[in-house]
Amino acid sequence: MAQIKTTGMYKSFPRSGSDTKTSHYCAGCGHGIVHKLIAEALFDLELQDETIIFNPVGCSVFGYYYLDAGHISAAHGRSPSAATGIARTLKDRTIICYQGDGDLGAIGLNSTLQAANRGEHIAVIFINNATYGMTGGQMAPTTLAGMKTRTTPFGRDPLTDGYPLHVCEMINELKAPVYIERVSVADTRRIMKARKAVRKALKIQKENRGYAFVEIIAPCPIGLKSTPLETARFCMEEMEAEFPLVCLRDNSADQPLLPTPKKIVSVKDFFENSGTDLGISTAVPDESFKELRMKFSGYGGQGVLSLGLWLAEAARIDRRFTTWFPSYGPEQRGGAASCAVVVSGRTVGSPDADHPDLLVAMNQVAYERFIGDVLPGGFAFVDLTVPINVEPRAGVRLISVPALKLAEEFGITQSANTVILAAISAFGVSNLSRESLLSSLDAGFRKKPELAIKNKKLFVKAETWIKDQWKSSEVRECESAEIAASEDTAHGTGRGIC
Amino acid sequence: MIKFLKGNDAIVLGALYAGSDVYFGYPITPASEIAHAAAEWYPQVGKTFLQAQCETAAISMLYGAACTGKPAITATSGPGMSLMQEGLSYMAAAELPGVIVNIMRSGPGLGNIFPEQSDYNQAVKGGGHGNYKCLVLAPGGVQEMCDLTIKAFELSFKYRTPAIILADGLLGQMMESITIPDEVCTIPDTSDWAVQGTAETRGNLITSIYMNAEVQEKRNLELKAKYKTMKKDSLCECYCCDDADLILAAYGISSRIARSAVDLLRAEGIKVGLFRPITLSPFPVEKLCEVTLDRKVLVVEHSDSQFCDDIRIHISKEGKRYQELSIIFHMGGVIITVDELIQKVKSELGC
Ligand code: SF4
């Protein structure tokens, strides 16, 4: 065998529990050879101080007994993901994932492929010995067809156990990897080629060029229940017939792609100079303020979630305690949207509004769903298009507003919510100041100031119009006992608005 | 400075003020806003965001970053949290810091995305294989979603064990005003144990394999001793407990509903208080025993007696007593209403 310097190894191996100088690997095992190749490359390339080696679950779980560098044990198959965690947070490090065929090709295949596909800056050294050595000779993803193992006692049958997995070729389907090669350590000539491959993979790390993958066919005489000599023959003949030794890709001479530098601000600057919250102060406890629970409901797109946010914003301007809680997830997908807003003179308890004091329902579904929950003494604002087919509880004041129509006539169809906001202001039912309700629109349209101006104009006009039309056919207000028929009022003229 | 934020967003803000360098995660409702905010904010302040291929990978990435002493965070919900148990066990075993956010949803299985508190046992009792404990912090509002994320990093580095933020879909989705921190925290030096790819840390090793039974047991006992010292960092809130005839025990969203009930019942002259653990692990046992002594206790939770059973265990382990212990609960995403709770309290007190 060729002479290989082993300076990258510890002089003796106390981590094994004794001061031994022999490894725990069996006679004729490929791991020892590969360790030496890595050790030599680490030393020659002056990488030891910057290297982090991931030890797998498998026979080489104790790689940290031997190789003189920083070491981490990863969970079975997770090395490439764990290595990603480092590659993304520490630059200019050499990260080696040393993995066996079960670790890399079975339990960790997704971890392997995804890291390769992202082009993580790691070197993966994949020991393919066609069996599970440590666990006791079970089938590996790379076990050859017909091979007998503890879990394929009658030979691996591709029809039931699948075919030997060609990981190099799978990785070669991906765009990001820089270097992919399959080598062997079954004889001296092959070891010298493997040596070159290992050095290349590590050099790629040293130069920050990207993802390198080296598959190494390695003998496991114990797993194969065979002599070292016979195992070497098996590797060179039968394994190579299935897994040809080949360099599938080498882009290591190309210039690496450098990320474009981004403009970066400090965390403090980022948060202190953004958002709508400049000038908002903390809420002030006020026991005299009557807590108000509100529910805003309708279709997504009718702006009910925004309307809730505006009320919460107005409450904040008025230095009230407030919460906003939306319906979320699939609830929204059906087109329905709702949110609950609580305004209080003390820290808010439940953010939900099971029994609201104020309901806004912009469509029939929302009306039918929530009207029965409104507390006596409460208010329900509904769009004029909503047929009043369910009675509220006694003592609930129901107010129909042609919000959708007024918004359309004003030329901003989406702003029915602004009309409702104006109605809430006009009827003075929120205990929040008119100025704050109006100013909430500035925050709401912070990114589109021209829309803020338009909506504020709409607010003023709608508010005046609603006050003018008080008790008219356009704005219906009734106690629950005297609900008006909806048909004759559903199509008002909207006079006085434009 | 005041900000009006969703609970999920407040977590990301808190993480950045805690000094977090990196976010790894896989989207899942109702925790996805955390990933959205992290994807938007982390790169703008020079930090790293990466979407992992699954939660198993996300927690493994967290493990990797933690091995170098980097403050990393991930967020998920029920099914994702189950996948993360492997990594949590490894992190606890290797004594690694890191923050894992669980915005609980209903289970078991796929369940639904509505709020539940049914991952209590999973979080508080270890959850993965082996004897270990995580720190578990349970925010009661948006301010605490931020503040406890910062606290979670602090404690996680202090004790070198993963910290879980155990919140729920409602806390994640709701918005409240919060006061943002004045300063960004600094992360302690970890070069004595971390593997950082430097000359200084070249001799360091992070592992959790001990082939010898006695050595493994020694490790287990060391961990046990460490967990015991965490006790002094337990936190809780007692609201109106002093003269209470009945104590409501609740954390997270249940505590918000309980708080409303306390306010409304007190307005009627009924003396009720609220005991709210802020850390579920370590559990504020001393305070619990103090406020529940010879009193009626009503546990409010959104899970099948997981929290209630734990309260019973904590009190009995201390050899203390309560007058009566009862429970009100919902599951599946059904939220206990304030009215319902008030009725239950009244029937417990016979008024
Ligand atoms: S079982 Fe096989 S792989 Fe493991 S040490 Fe022995 S020869 Fe090497």
Side-chain angles (χ1 to χ4, degrees), chain A residues 24-31 59 129 131-134 219-223:
Chain A
H24 73 288
Y25 296 117
C26 313
C29 173
H31 280 303
C59 278
N129 57 20
T131 185
Y132 283 9
M134 189 200 212
C220 170
I222 298 299

Side-chain angles (χ1 to χ4, degrees), chain A residues 443-461:
Chain A
F445 294 100
R446 173 173 54 102
K447 287 184 182 148
K448 293 173 188 159
E450 70 286 353
L451 267 183
I453 295 167
K454 264 189 140 178
N455 275 279
K456 282 168 92 171
K457 276 190 186 154
L458 172 59
F459 177 100
V460 174
K461 291 206 172 181

Side-chain angles (χ1 to χ4, degrees), chain A residues 33-98:
Chain A
I33 303 166
V34 180
H35 281 20
K36 284 182 189 170
L37 297 180
I38 294 173
E40 185 204 34
L42 285 178
F43 180 78
D44 289 350
L45 297 169
E46 297 179 335
L47 285 172
Q48 278 168 283
D49 281 344
E50 65 170 64
T51 294
I52 299 171
I53 301 172
F54 276 94
N55 298 263
V57 172
C59 278
S60 49
V61 65
F62 298 121
Y64 58 80
Y65 288 179
Y66 313 113
L67 294 162
D68 182 1
H71 281 278
I72 295 169
S73 303
H76 198 20
R78 314 294 177 224
S79 296
S81 297
T84 299
I86 299 184
R88 293 302 179 106
T89 46
L90 286 177
K91 299 293 163 210
D92 304 322
R93 300 304 199 279
T94 291
I95 305 167
I96 300 172
C97 292
Y98 188 103

